[in-house]
């Protein structure tokens, strides 16, 4: 059983990592190609392409300029500890121990516009490049064409994917990159809904955090049986069979 999540825009490269264990991204050569494309762009072009303020565009232009290999703990940080934001608040990787990191390395993958697909302990350097960015490159007009079938093939080759079950905890923008219709998998997509104004509805902020909570639940319990996910109860959520349809499993919560 394999699960995928999205990265985050917010990064933390100031806090010391809680583990010295690390691995290297699989597609670092491809990342270098994208960095070469980005280095040729002016700050104004970056601002326009990514719809950023001049300040943020300047920050990221500097990041692209500083990006260099090889990656080590002096110039990079493990992805699951570097990404911040709602999903990673729920995941709370800073409190994980060796057993949890070990399971996550086998069963959790982070999709990335720059790095393609990452193991939790893969080292990354600071960047911003969302998967939906229309960055022209030698392979086509955007990052979906750049990555092509590589992310799907990478997931299919994972040992943890030998049962053909993928838990989709990523956003639509990122999950599109794995070519789900071609993926040889049973795809289970948890959906999180909160009670508000007389009905259960998906609220982005809470749903993102819940994706992280579920990732951590699976890691903590080292689950290998998809059905066991239905026992997920972190943050006050519970599985609702009546609202679930097929492999879209709905989890509801009455109080934020």
């Amino acid at each position: 059983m394999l699960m995928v999540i999205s990265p985050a825009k917010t990064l933390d490269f100031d806090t010391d990592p809680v583990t010295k264990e690390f691995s290297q991204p699989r597609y670092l050569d491809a990342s270098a190609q994208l960095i070469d494309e980005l280095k040729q762009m002016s700050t104004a072009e970056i601002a326009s392409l990514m719809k950023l303020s001049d300040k943020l565009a300047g920050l990221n232009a500097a990041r692209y300029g500083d990006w260099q290999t090889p990656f080590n703990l002096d110039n990079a940080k493990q992805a699951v500890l570097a990404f911040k934001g709602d999903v990673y608040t729920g995941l709370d990787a800073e409190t994980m121990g060796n057993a949890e990191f070990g399971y996550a390395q086998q069963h959790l993958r982070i999709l990335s516009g720059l790095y393609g697909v990452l193991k939790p302990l893969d080292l990354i350097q600071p960047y911003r490049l969302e998967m939906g960015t229309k960055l022209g490159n030698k392979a086509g007009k955007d990052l979906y064409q750049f990555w092509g079938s590589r992310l799907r093939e990478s997931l299919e080759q994972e040992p943890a994917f030998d049962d053909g079950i993928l838990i989709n905890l990523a956003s639509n923008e990122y999950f599109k990159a794995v070519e789900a219709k071609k993926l040889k998998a049973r795809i289970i997509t948890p959906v999180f809904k909160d009670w508000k104004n007389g009905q259960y509805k998906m609220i982005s902020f809470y749903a993102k955090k819940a994706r992280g909570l579920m990732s951590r639940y699976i890691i903590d319990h080292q689950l290998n049986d998809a059905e066991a996910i239905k026992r997920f109860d972190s943050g006050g959520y519970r599985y609702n069979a009546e609202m679930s349809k097929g492999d879209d499993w709905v989890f509801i919560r009455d109080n934020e």
Side-chain angles (χ1 to χ4, degrees):
M1 188 170 71
L2 198 65
M3 51 184 158
V4 293
I5 59 176
S6 303
K9 298 175 186 175
T10 306
L11 303 170
D12 176 11
F13 279 83
D14 297 322
T15 306
D16 290 337
V18 297
T19 177
K20 293 188 181 299
E21 296 295 324
F22 67 87
S23 47
Q24 295 288 347
R26 177 174 184 174
Y27 295 115
L28 208 49
D29 288 344
S31 303
Q33 293 174 28
L34 289 173
I35 288 292
D36 286 342
E37 297 281 355
L38 292 163
K39 283 181 176 179
Q40 296 174 33
M41 300 179 67
S42 67
T43 299
E45 289 172 331
I46 292 171
S48 176
L49 175 70
M50 302 185 186
K51 297 179 175 59
L52 300 177
S53 66
D54 291 342
K55 181 178 180 180
L56 275 177
L59 170 65
N60 284 284
R63 286 171 168 172
Y64 306 142
D66 291 340
W67 196 95
Q68 60 181 323
T69 57
F71 285 4
N72 55 58
L73 288 177
D74 292 326
N75 64 16
K77 188 174 182 180
Q78 300 93 335
V80 76
L81 298 172
F83 289 126
K84 297 302 169 184
D86 302 327
V87 172
Y88 294 86
T89 297
L91 183 56
D92 194 19
E94 288 77 11
T95 62
M96 286 166 54
N98 291 336
E100 289 77 23
F101 280 124
Y103 179 91
Q105 276 288 92
Q106 296 298 319
H107 296 270
L108 177 66
R109 294 296 176 263
I110 304 167
L111 304 175
S112 166
L114 178 59
Y115 294 99
V117 60
L118 292 161
K119 298 187 294 294
L121 296 181
D122 279 354
L123 293 177
I124 64 170
Q125 291 181 357
Y127 78 100
R128 178 152 175 173
L129 186 63
E130 296 174 56
M131 190 65 80
T133 304
K134 289 182 168 53
L135 175 66
N137 56 82
K138 293 179 180 179
K141 64 181 180 180
D142 56 26
L143 296 178
Y144 297 114
Q145 293 188 351
F146 176 81
W147 289 111
S149 62
R150 281 181 286 188
L151 306 193
R152 171 176 58 81
E153 292 167 354
S154 178
L155 296 179
E156 289 176 341
Q157 293 166 10
E158 293 286 355
F161 193 61
D162 60 0
D163 62 357
I165 295 177
L166 183 70
I167 310 301
N168 172 26
L169 292 163
S171 66
N172 292 335
E173 174 188 354
Y174 281 88
F175 196 64
K176 179 181 175 182
V178 307
E179 299 182 325
K181 291 183 178 180
K182 297 180 181 179
L183 194 64
K184 300 172 184 176
R186 176 190 177 191
I187 300 171
I188 297 171
T189 303
V191 179
F192 304 96
K193 296 187 176 184
D194 283 79
W195 182 260
K196 186 174 184 180
N197 297 332
Q199 62 180 317
Y200 289 106
K201 59 175 63 177
M202 189 175 77
I203 302 171
S204 179
F205 169 78
Y206 296 126
K208 289 178 181 178
K209 184 177 179 181
R211 290 170 185 156
L213 287 170
M214 176 163 281
S215 300
R216 182 60 185 267
Y217 179 87
I218 293 171
I219 291 168
D220 283 347
H221 292 84
Q222 299 200 4
L223 299 183
N224 290 299
D225 175 16
E227 287 296 315
I229 293 173
K230 293 178 179 178
R231 296 198 292 268
F232 171 74
D233 58 359
S234 302
Y237 287 97
R238 66 184 186 277
Y239 174 69
N240 185 288
E242 293 182 358
M243 296 176 68
S244 300
K245 295 182 180 179
D247 284 330
D248 288 345
W249 292 359
V250 177
F251 296 81
I252 60 175
R253 182 171 66 171
D254 295 322
N255 299 298
E256 296 93 84

